[in-house]
Amino acid sequence: MVKFMMKCFLIVTVLLLGVLIGMQQANEGMQKMRGYNDPSLQGAFHITDENGEVEASVLGRKVTSHDLEQKQKQLEDVEAFNLFSSIGEKLGNGISALFEKIMIAIGNGIGSLLDKI
């Protein structure tokens, strides 16, 4: 399950980066086609380094570590993921127990048939 999730995460990350790079290339192509720099056409991403501080903007929005920390705290406060995780764990344990009992019953049935032969 972990390998599958890692593969999915990797694929989604590669595709997202591909889309952002494609948008950046399209923006540069539009600027070359117009022949001048139009400030209304923003790039897909832009990274600046001023006075040792790195600032990044994705699709015109500035991304800072403070924003990411705030979103992480918000996710920890909600704890909605833990609710679904616990429900999934209980459901998985129940299904595993059910199939274990079914397999034991089938094994006992086959064993009793073989004893009769």
Side-chain angles (χ1 to χ4, degrees), residues 3-114:
K3 285 185 178 180
F4 175 74
M5 292 300 292
M6 291 300 292
K7 287 179 184 179
C8 286
F9 178 73
L10 180 67
I11 289 171
V12 167
T13 303
V14 168
L15 291 175
L16 177 65
L17 288 175
V19 167
L20 288 176
I21 291 171
M23 290 174 68
Q24 184 71 22
Q25 292 296 321
N27 181 37
E28 290 174 7
M30 290 291 289
Q31 287 179 354
K32 287 180 184 177
M33 186 177 72
R34 286 182 179 218
Y36 62 92
N37 190 6
D38 189 1
S40 66
L41 291 176
Q42 296 179 354
F45 58 92
H46 185 69
I47 299 173
T48 57
D49 185 13
E50 296 178 4
N51 301 329
E53 293 184 15
V54 177
E55 292 183 1
S57 64
V58 178
L59 299 176
R61 292 184 172 173
K62 288 187 179 180
V63 178
T64 62
S65 62
H66 179 69
D67 293 338
L68 297 176
E69 291 172 0
Q70 182 181 8
K71 288 180 182 180
Q72 183 179 4
K73 287 180 183 178
Q74 184 181 10
L75 283 174
E76 289 173 356
D77 291 340
V78 171
E79 295 182 2
F81 181 76
N82 291 337
L83 172 67
F84 292 122
S85 178
S86 64
I87 290 172
E89 183 180 1
K90 289 178 184 177
L91 181 65
N93 289 339
I95 291 173
S96 295
L98 175 69
F99 276 103
E100 183 179 353
K101 290 179 182 178
I102 290 172
M103 295 306 283
I104 289 172
I106 290 172
N108 289 338
I110 292 173
S112 65
L113 284 174
L114 291 175

